[in-house]
Amino acid sequence: MPYDENRPAGDRSPAAAEEGLRRSAAFLVDEALGFVFPAALRAAADVGVADALADGPATPAELAAATGTDARNLYRVLRLLATRNVVAEDEHGRFTLTEAGQALRSDVPYSARSAVRMLTDRTFWRPAERMAHCLTEGTTAFDAVFGMPFFEHFAKDEETAAVFHVGMAAMSDAENAVIAAAYDFPDAGTVVDVGGGHGGLLLEVLRRNPALEGVLQDRAHVLAGHRLEGDKEVAGRWSTAEGDFFTTVPAGDVLLLKRITHDWDDEQCVTLLGNCRRALRPGGRILVLDAVVPRDDAPHQAKTLDLLMMASLTGRERTEADFVDLLDRAGLRLSRILRASAVLSVVEAVPA
């Protein structure tokens, strides 16, 4: 009988129980080796293998010459990536970038290369190794590894901060148009993208809603890389606002918080959401754009991201009940939840 890791052990004969334990051991060892795949994916992203495959099939030797790498070791990485359909090897030993692997290129729309490098950066990788610290101490492992909180570390390390902000922008690019289309924005007014990074979401919202104006709020060093400048579709309808959203939020009719609340603990989120409530104009709405963790055993990206939050930050992914409680504490009321993408939902809140 094929091994089913979800099947309860139950009452079985000694021989069946022993066989079950053998299969369990093999399954768990295979799962424990799972971390090697993202390491290989990052290595391929770092050296630009996908870009070298943009023109068609190539041998490891040809790819090594194009990327300045060792041909034998590059082949070993590609062989593992082929097991997950990122690349495919033909009968002549040449590798091709599959449809699933196309976004690893840096020169395509919705490139995920920067997102892959961010998610496998040491700021996530090293705390994840110390996840047991989160269980025994009840706190993030990041401080124990780096000696300071996550965002304080970024403020002191420009290179790491750049990896994070560029990676987050890349991770968001494929989501922004979908989210902008999923919500019925008002015919007029001001949309404020709170902690909006490089402004990819605000740009999509303004493009789809030509009567709206927008404000992009973030720290000065983040705003320096924003994308709003030079886009003719939104010209004259946007401004930037440098600031700390824990202190103040620009006034607006719709306030966007995309992948923000999951970074912070409940008390910090209550402060942030309270600032947003005070910044709302009459009839305004706050849109929390984050995952809503389903209450089942099915795989969901939010359940994986939740452990990254646990290991490296102070926040967490939240269930619907968690959002109801959080909003209530901030003087807000959950009005509805819209599924915006495979991962993210639109949690709409209004003043209570």
Side-chain angles (χ1 to χ4, degrees):
M1 178 184 298
Y3 180 61
D4 180 2
E5 67 272 18
N6 297 313
R7 181 165 54 90
D11 295 325
R12 294 179 290 179
S13 68
E18 184 175 352
E19 175 60 20
L21 287 171
R22 286 197 191 97
R23 293 187 178 193
S24 172
F27 166 75
L28 293 173
V29 167
D30 198 40
E31 289 294 295
L33 286 168
F35 75 95
V36 179
F37 180 81
L41 189 62
R42 181 194 173 86
D46 277 346
V47 302
V49 167
D51 287 352
L53 283 170
D55 293 329
T59 66
E62 291 167 338
L63 291 171
T67 58
T69 56
D70 180 83
R72 182 173 65 175
N73 287 342
L74 180 58
Y75 171 74
R76 296 161 76 180
V77 168
L78 292 170
R79 181 170 59 187
L80 180 60
L81 296 183
T83 67
R84 302 280 190 92
N85 198 37
V86 175
V87 295
E89 183 180 7
D90 66 21
E91 66 274 15
H92 304 294
R94 297 176 303 177
F95 283 90
T96 303
L97 197 61
T98 65
E99 183 175 354
Q102 288 295 325
L104 196 59
R105 291 170 53 183
S106 63
D107 60 344
V108 295
Y110 310 124
S111 170
R113 183 185 180 190
S114 295
V116 167
R117 297 186 72 239
M118 175 196 69
L119 291 169
T120 55
D121 186 74
R122 62 194 179 96
T123 50
F124 288 124
W125 194 281
R126 291 180 60 192
E129 178 192 9
R130 299 277 299 276
M131 198 170 290
H133 175 94
C134 305
L135 306 184
T136 58
E137 304 302 319
T139 61
T140 175
F142 191 94
D143 295 24
V145 174
F146 291 96
M148 65 188 74
F150 188 83
F151 288 109
E152 185 178 326
H153 174 71
F154 278 14
K156 297 183 178 181
D157 187 334
E158 292 183 5
E159 183 177 347
T160 300
V163 168
F164 178 79
H165 292 299
V166 172
M168 279 302 301
M171 189 171 174
S172 294
D173 280 347
E175 305 166 333
N176 289 334
V178 176
I179 292 171
Y183 188 78
D184 186 18
F185 285 88
D187 293 332
T190 300
V191 176
V192 180
D193 197 352
V194 181
H198 291 170
L201 175 59
L202 183 60
L203 184 59
E204 291 292 345
V205 170
L206 295 180
R207 283 171 173 169
R208 294 185 64 88
N209 300 275
L212 290 179
E213 295 185 349
V215 179
L216 178 64
Q217 183 196 29
D218 216 310
R219 300 280 192 171
H221 69 279
V222 181
L223 291 175
H226 78 77
R227 305 175 181 179
L228 300 170
E229 186 76 52
D231 190 293
K232 295 181 180 179
E233 290 186 72
V234 303
R237 293 193 288 125
W238 61 268
S239 62
T240 60
E242 177 185 342
D244 178 357
F245 50 55
F246 286 121
T247 302
T248 186
V249 170
D253 301 284
V254 180
L255 272 57
L256 308 177
L257 291 165
K258 182 169 185 276
R259 293 192 184 273
I260 300 294
T261 58
H262 75 165
D263 287 341
W264 307 98
D265 64 31
D266 287 358
E267 294 302 321
Q268 291 167 311
C269 284
V270 168
T271 298
L272 166 58
L273 290 168
N275 289 340
C276 290
R277 177 176 54 79
R278 286 184 287 274
L280 274 183
R281 292 172 179 161
R285 291 159 279 176
I286 298 169
L287 307 185
V288 178
L289 306 166
D290 249 324
V292 177
V293 184
R295 298 294 298 269
D296 57 33
D297 293 337
H300 193 283
Q301 188 186 97
K303 297 175 183 179
T304 303
L305 288 175
D306 186 45
L307 297 193
L308 281 188
M309 299 300 105
M310 182 178 76
S312 287
L313 292 110
T314 60
R316 61 192 175 102
E317 306 295 338
R318 293 176 171 89
T319 64
E320 180 176 346
D322 291 329
F323 278 114
V324 169
D325 178 66
L326 200 62
L327 294 170
D328 180 68
R329 292 173 58 190
L332 296 163
R333 174 177 59 83
L334 174 66
S335 56
R336 58 176 172 160
I337 295 178
L338 302 174
R339 183 76 173 270
S341 70
V343 177
L344 297 184
S345 292
V346 178
V347 179
E348 184 187 63
V350 295

